[in-house]
Amino acid sequence: MDKFVIKGGNLLKGVVEISGSKNAALPILSSTLLTNEKCVIKGVPYLRDVETLCLILKELGVKIERKSNGDIETQVIDERNSIARYELVKTMRASVCVLGPLISKRKYAKVSLPGGCVIGVRPIDLHEKGLRLLGAQIDYEHGYLIANTKGLVGCEMYLGGTFGSTVTGTANVLMAACLAKGRTVIENAACEPEVQDLVIFLTKMGAKIKGIGTHRLEIEGVKSLKCATHKIIPDRIEAGTFIAAGALSGKGITIKNCRLDHLSAVIDNYNQMGVTIEKTSATTCRVKHARVLKPLDITTLSYPGFPTDMQAQTMVLLTLADGISIVTERIYPDRFTHVAELNRMGARIRKEGSTAVIEGRSQLWGAPVMASDLRASAALVLAGLVASGTTEVQRVYHIDRGYEKIEEKLNSLGADINRLSDKVAMPIRLSASPTTTKESMMRHTTRHLPRQ
Ligand code: EPZ
């Protein structure tokens, strides 16, 4: 397994470009199952999770091709197999997004239950609730969810759960409703930018959807959907991660291709911490090193609240803040696997249930640490950037799932990160040239798909 060796202390400066959003690309690629016509999806990042989903779609009879310009072209050519296998689904939970399109278009789906992950149990009861209300018969057998229907029929439903709305649950029910008979209303729908991007793509395919960006979606079912071309929105969590990097050690980094309107809660909280984020255009900002970081109490919420996917990265800043901070996780109460690792680097964080108390004023030192999930891994990389000495982040396949060329992008800003591959004794330093990185990224991400 690969690891990162990070020499801390370098100040970052320069320009970084944000890639397309993983969490928009996955449901949008899944939604191409809803049509037999060719679709073209632009701006899809080179990520392990995207590779995994493409393997699943291929097995579901989709001809899927990454063109030399990076576009992904899809076309359903065979609808006989509607089974999403455990061996692939277990490595990427968002594979569950094929469920809604399959049951709606093919009237049958057999999808492996995704199982939990380190950030929580991650049930799919709301996905099931919504599909049952649309008329799907749902059974469970040997770790698979099996869905059958004679034809879905629209209805009004409430899709909120204990922890609020569900992003991929909304995506699944929304995609299924597009081909259902009649009108569907989803109350307490998720309105994350990634769901909004899916609504835009489905509308381009001919779906009739009202309420984009709100917690109430209204869908008028249609007989069929057609081809469409779409460019994925920039990844707001990658952008937020680089804002955190700039706040930690940036002499002034410029972040391009980021939708600042998708980051209001992050920008507001970071401003309160004393981070300067200067908006230089609708999709560009400059972030400077925050000489003194102020402590802050943060609670993660559904969009437009503070995103849970930025919690771990932000905690790194809070370990350096000039006082005590409190982080409360309202989305994934157990999403604190990064705490123990940060404490090994000299942070002083105490976890109490779904809350973490961060003492601040820490001096982080380099240490060997273990990545455990996507965003916790990003937090450990950020900590390594500012720690004194060398940090080794092991199991970086977690980070390859959701960050395109992260070490390449950080090194181009002046960081000192080497990716040590288990095949090469010497460190391999990815060059700045995008193509080499993309090839090596493809090599890294397609070599094997270990369990997450
Ligand atoms: C999406 O996961 C994202 N993944 C996650 O990003 C993100 O953290 C999460 O939304 C919350 O914003 C993708 O979009 C691929 P949820 P999802 O359903 O859809 C509970 C990353 O790092 N819930 O919105 O799986 C659930 O346990 C990943 O990029 C139910 O109880 O999340 C959680 O507490 C991590 N029943 C809350 O709702 C259900 O049926 C929100 O989950 C579904 C969810």
Side-chain angles (χ1 to χ4, degrees):
M1 290 177 194
D2 292 2
K3 64 183 176 184
F4 283 160
V5 177
I6 306 170
K7 287 200 176 60
N10 293 14
L11 281 179
L12 306 184
K13 66 181 183 334
V15 182
V16 66
E17 177 128 3
I18 299 304
S19 302
S21 163
K22 164 178 85 81
N23 291 350
L26 297 174
I28 285 173
L29 285 169
S30 303
S31 73
T32 61
L33 287 163
L34 289 166
T35 177
N36 291 329
E37 298 185 17
K38 181 187 280 193
C39 294
V40 178
I41 316 297
K42 296 175 172 296
V44 180
Y46 287 78
L47 299 172
R48 245 189 71 210
D49 277 5
V50 170
E51 293 299 313
T52 306
L53 183 63
C54 289
L55 292 175
I56 292 172
L57 291 174
K58 275 181 190 152
E59 291 190 359
L60 296 173
V62 181
K63 179 170 172 282
I64 194 160
E65 200 184 342
R66 171 83 80 166
K67 310 302 277 183
S68 54
N69 65 359
D71 294 356
I72 288 189
E73 284 185 6
T74 72
Q75 181 150 23
V76 176
I77 51 172
D78 182 344
E79 294 192 320
R80 281 171 300 177
N81 177 45
S82 297
I83 299 175
R85 287 187 300 123
Y86 171 69
E87 289 70 20
L88 289 173
V89 173
K90 73 179 178 185
T91 63
M92 204 264 296
R93 307 179 32 75
S95 326
V96 72
C97 283
V98 301
L99 179 59
L102 286 176
I103 187 66
S104 190
K105 180 75 169 46
R106 304 187 187 178
K107 314 282 186 288
Y108 172 80
K110 181 175 179 183
V111 178
S112 166
L113 291 171
C117 68
V118 289
I119 66 175
V121 175
R122 316 245 351 233
I124 57 168
D125 57 309
L126 297 173
H127 299 238
E128 175 190 339
K129 172 185 173 183
L131 295 175
R132 276 188 194 282
L133 288 169
L134 289 176
Q137 185 197 318
I138 307 269
D139 300 297
Y140 291 94
E141 213 176 85
H142 307 300
Y144 280 80
L145 180 151
I146 299 167
N148 279 287
T149 182
K150 290 195 174 34
L152 299 181
V153 178
C155 71
E156 301 211 1
M157 67 177 74
Y158 177 80
L159 208 56
T162 318
F163 299 96
S165 51
T166 163
V167 172
T168 49
T170 300
N172 253 331
V173 175
L174 167 64
M175 290 187 280
C178 286
L179 294 180
K181 197 166 171 315
R183 180 170 167 274
T184 299
V185 175
I186 306 175
E187 291 288 0
N188 206 346
C191 61
E192 271 68 2
E194 296 76 24
V195 174
Q196 296 180 43
D197 209 28
L198 174 63
V199 170
I200 292 169
F201 179 61
L202 290 168
T203 306
K204 285 181 181 176
M205 292 169 86
K208 296 195 179 340
I209 305 167
K210 285 185 194 148
I212 184 171
T214 74
H215 288 293
R216 186 181 193 277
L217 290 175
E218 213 176 288
I219 304 105
E220 202 57 50
V222 293
K223 285 222 174 317
S224 63
L225 294 174
K226 60 185 185 355
C227 61
T229 296
H230 184 72
K231 185 165 177 5
I232 300 289
I233 52 170
D235 192 312
R236 62 188 168 109
I237 304 301
E238 184 193 14
T241 304
F242 276 94
I243 287 176
L248 282 167
S249 61
K251 268 185 170 165
I253 68 169
T254 297
I255 301 172
K256 290 175 72 176
N257 191 39
C258 66
R259 284 283 301 270
L260 297 168
D261 57 321
H262 292 163
L263 283 161
S264 310
V266 172
I267 293 169
D268 178 63
N269 279 275
Y270 277 45
N271 287 164
Q272 290 180 57
M273 281 192 273
V275 180
T276 313
I277 302 169
E278 188 199 338
K279 182 174 171 179
T280 48
S281 83
T283 57
T284 310
C285 67
R286 269 177 63 75
V287 185
K288 267 188 277 193
H289 178 46
R291 230 171 29 74
V292 178
L293 282 164
K294 298 183 192 111
L296 191 65
D297 293 352
I298 289 180
T299 299
T300 65
L301 294 167
S302 307
Y303 191 83
F306 191 89
T308 174
D309 291 350
M310 275 300 297
Q311 182 256 106
Q313 302 92 307
T314 307
M315 196 176 278
V316 179
L317 280 80
L318 296 175
T319 67
L320 308 175
D322 187 26
I324 292 178
S325 304
I326 295 178
V327 170
T328 304
E329 247 301 343
R330 288 256 186 278
I331 305 295
Y332 296 115
D334 299 329
R335 192 175 199 171
F336 291 111
T337 53
H338 44 288
V339 166
E341 297 304 295
L342 290 175
N343 284 343
R344 297 184 59 248
M345 296 178 73
R348 293 187 300 272
I349 308 168
R350 202 174 63 250
K351 180 179 170 308
E352 291 183 6
S354 63
T355 296
V357 181
I358 301 104
E359 258 192 56
R361 297 194 193 97
S362 303
Q363 166 57 46
L364 297 181
W365 57 72
V369 290
M370 186 79 76
S372 55
D373 87 277
L374 172 53
R375 308 303 173 184
S377 323
L380 297 176
V381 171
L382 293 177
L385 293 178
V386 292
S388 55
T390 300
T391 298
E392 280 193 8
V393 181
Q394 291 156 20
R395 298 189 181 178
V396 290
Y397 62 81
H398 286 291
I399 212 160
D400 291 336
R401 288 189 46 214
Y403 286 91
E404 185 181 52
K405 311 180 284 183
I406 190 166
E407 77 269 29
E408 182 53 33
K409 292 184 178 183
L410 286 168
N411 284 340
S412 69
L413 293 171
D416 183 344
I417 304 176
N418 276 307
R419 178 189 283 258
L420 270 177
S421 160
D422 58 359
K423 293 214 177 334
V424 174
M426 298 302 293
I428 49 169
R429 190 180 180 94
L430 292 172
S431 73
S433 65
T435 42
T436 316
T437 317
K438 277 196 178 136
E439 276 147 24
S440 63
M441 175 51 83
M442 296 293 275
R443 192 171 60 245
H444 281 305
T445 52
T446 46
R447 183 177 56 207
H448 54 75
L449 297 170
R451 182 170 176 70
Q452 54 184 349

